[in-house]
Amino acid sequence: MTREFTLCIPTRTPLFSRVQWLSIISLVILVYAWVLFGTSTSAQGSALHISDYSLTLVGKILCFAIVAIAIDLVWGYCGILSLGHGLFFALGGYAMGMYLVQAKAPGDTSEQLPAFTNLLSWTELPWFWGGTQHLAWALILALFVPGLVAFIFGYFAFRSRIKGVYLSIMTQALTYAAMLLFFRNETGFGGNNGFTDFKYIAGYSISSTQTRTVLFLLSFSCLVLVFILARAIVTSRLGKILTAIRDSESRVMFLGYKPLPYKLAIWTFSAVLCGLAGALYVPQVGIINPSEMSPISSIELLVLVAVGGRASLIGGVLGAFTVNGAKTFFTAFLPEYWLFILGSMFIIVTLFMPKGLIGLIQKFRLPKRSFSDRSSQPSLAGESS
């Protein structure tokens, strides 16, 4: 008598449900239609009109939302608490800024060095500026340089099994050292003033409404694509291993996995996303300087994820809009108290809403949840050992 055995292979969790795909597509169509109509067709004073200020403000927040997703991948899903992602964001911004300070009007063939070279009496730019007069090369640098820096740092840090608060301090020290380096005029990055006074991008006036509209829609499109890509990662086998590393790295090693390549891959990918966000951010705000590398800037980026909710990609986006909306309001009316308010937000979330705003929303939507559901997301107390 023979027995028949059936091999049951578990089906992979779909990337999005049909309703979620329809919601994403509908949101994209709605945003494109509203922005194109509100900037070119509707009259000023109309409720549907979108001003250049609004485009710039929301476009800037969209860039921070990309950074929030990048940080959530390494902190929420892999348990790596980084206090230095502001460095990767700024490196991408500087790569784009190097192009923008050289961009000229169509047909302009004059040879003129950036304004900051006059202070140093330079007659030519350093070697690493080569090719930065081309937008394509600047975009490659905006992605490659943050990724390379992250890969080198991550390789030596993760290979030495440095983690927890020690790794966090090292990331902050790296960012602070880079900030001091970029503050020096002789390094060739504009010193404490950085790069500003941008006039053209790809031959178009950077201050025109049409250019700002394109930059806004490009930022929004990148955010949607990054969200979908990040969702694909966290629902894949790689995402499950990253979550296991977050919960118990030692147990993952006992099961035969080497955490180094997985941690290094998501760390480098996160840095590349930050570089992309920085490249989109600079032409919209019109300036990049070493203050973007300051420790407080990196901590602000971390607060976006903490407020929105760790291990929840939509939570990072929600946190970016919430925190930056609050920043816009309080820096306009109570600028001297903004840092105190920012710190209070982090403390309140840590003590009373460990899963952030997204956890609070889920609590009201699903008041009765199983123990496994309640423990699926990490708290803000720290990393797992």
Side-chain angles (χ1 to χ4, degrees):
M1 180 177 179
T2 60
R3 293 184 179 180
E4 295 183 358
F5 295 92
T6 303
L7 179 62
C8 297
I9 301 176
T11 58
R12 180 178 175 178
T13 304
L15 191 60
F16 295 106
S17 66
R18 182 177 299 179
V19 175
Q20 290 172 331
W21 274 118
L22 289 176
S23 299
I24 293 174
I25 295 173
S26 301
L27 176 63
V28 172
I29 294 175
L30 178 62
V31 170
Y32 266 75
W34 184 20
V35 171
L36 293 176
F37 176 80
T39 56
S40 61
T41 305
S42 63
Q44 289 188 353
S46 171
L48 297 177
H49 178 72
I50 303 176
S51 64
D52 290 350
Y53 172 78
S54 299
L55 279 177
T56 301
L57 177 62
V58 180
K60 180 174 66 174
I61 297 177
L62 292 174
C63 296
F64 285 128
I66 296 176
V67 178
I69 293 176
I71 295 177
D72 197 22
L73 286 175
V74 295
W75 186 29
Y77 289 94
C78 194
I80 303 173
L81 178 59
S82 171
L83 297 178
H85 264 54
L87 170 61
F88 309 132
F89 178 78
L91 288 176
Y94 264 98
M96 178 58 69
M98 292 167 72
Y99 161 76
L100 292 174
V101 295
Q102 301 178 84
K104 302 172 185 177
D108 187 359
T109 59
S110 61
E111 297 291 336
Q112 187 175 1
L113 296 177
F116 76 91
T117 58
N118 297 329
L119 300 175
L120 303 173
S121 300
W122 286 358
T123 57
E124 61 180 8
L125 291 170
W127 63 269
F128 51 83
W129 278 72
T132 54
Q133 69 272 22
H134 304 292
L135 178 59
W137 179 244
L139 290 173
I140 292 174
L141 288 179
L143 302 179
F144 176 76
V145 174
L148 179 62
V149 173
F151 181 85
I152 295 174
F153 173 83
Y155 177 77
F156 289 103
F158 300 146
R159 190 185 66 168
S160 303
R161 299 192 63 185
I162 299 173
K163 54 186 177 179
V165 66
Y166 303 103
L167 180 62
S168 301
I169 293 174
M170 286 182 61
T171 58
Q172 190 174 55
L174 176 67
T175 305
Y176 189 71
M179 182 189 70
L180 296 180
L181 178 66
F182 275 68
F183 263 122
R184 299 177 65 89
N185 290 323
E186 60 269 22
T187 55
F189 294 103
N192 61 331
N193 294 320
F195 302 142
T196 187
D197 194 26
F198 308 135
K199 293 182 174 61
Y200 297 96
I201 180 171
Y204 298 94
S205 173
I206 203 170
S207 59
S208 67
T209 301
Q210 291 78 9
T211 303
R212 292 183 180 275
T213 302
V214 171
L215 289 172
F216 176 92
L217 293 177
L218 188 59
S219 300
F220 175 74
S221 301
C222 287
L223 173 60
V224 173
L225 293 176
V226 166
F227 178 80
I228 295 174
L229 182 57
R231 173 69 178 176
I233 291 175
V234 300
T235 56
S236 66
R237 179 172 174 268
L238 171 60
K240 297 182 185 303
I241 296 175
L242 293 174
T243 305
I245 292 173
R246 178 199 69 193
D247 294 337
S248 180
E249 184 173 343
S250 300
R251 184 175 298 178
V252 172
M253 295 175 63
F254 292 147
L255 291 174
Y257 290 93
K258 293 182 178 180
L260 174 60
Y262 297 100
K263 295 170 68 174
L264 189 58
I266 199 64
W267 174 262
T268 305
F269 178 69
S270 176
V272 170
L273 292 184
C274 288
L276 171 65
L280 293 170
Y281 173 84
V282 169
Q284 296 184 80
V285 299
I287 188 173
I288 179 68
N289 56 44
S291 64
E292 297 293 343
M293 301 181 185
S294 64
I296 186 61
S297 296
S298 294
I299 294 175
E300 282 188 22
L301 297 177
L302 199 67
V303 172
L304 304 182
V305 181
V307 171
R310 280 179 66 192
S312 171
L313 299 176
I314 195 66
V317 178
L318 179 61
F321 277 87
T322 301
V323 175
N324 283 282
K327 181 178 182 179
T328 301
F329 176 82
F330 286 109
T331 52
F333 297 97
L334 298 170
E336 64 273 16
Y337 297 108
W338 163 241
L339 292 181
F340 297 100
I341 296 172
L342 179 66
S344 300
M345 290 173 63
F346 188 77
I347 294 173
I348 292 173
V349 168
T350 303
L351 295 178
F352 303 105
M353 294 188 298
K355 296 179 183 178
L357 294 175
I358 198 70
L360 189 63
I361 294 173
Q362 292 174 349
K363 182 178 179 180
F364 283 104
R365 290 183 58 187
L366 303 172
K368 295 181 180 181
R369 303 173 64 189
S370 65
F371 176 78
S372 59
D373 291 335
R374 291 196 300 268
S375 60
S376 60
Q377 288 185 334
S379 67
L380 293 176
E383 299 178 68
S384 299
S385 58

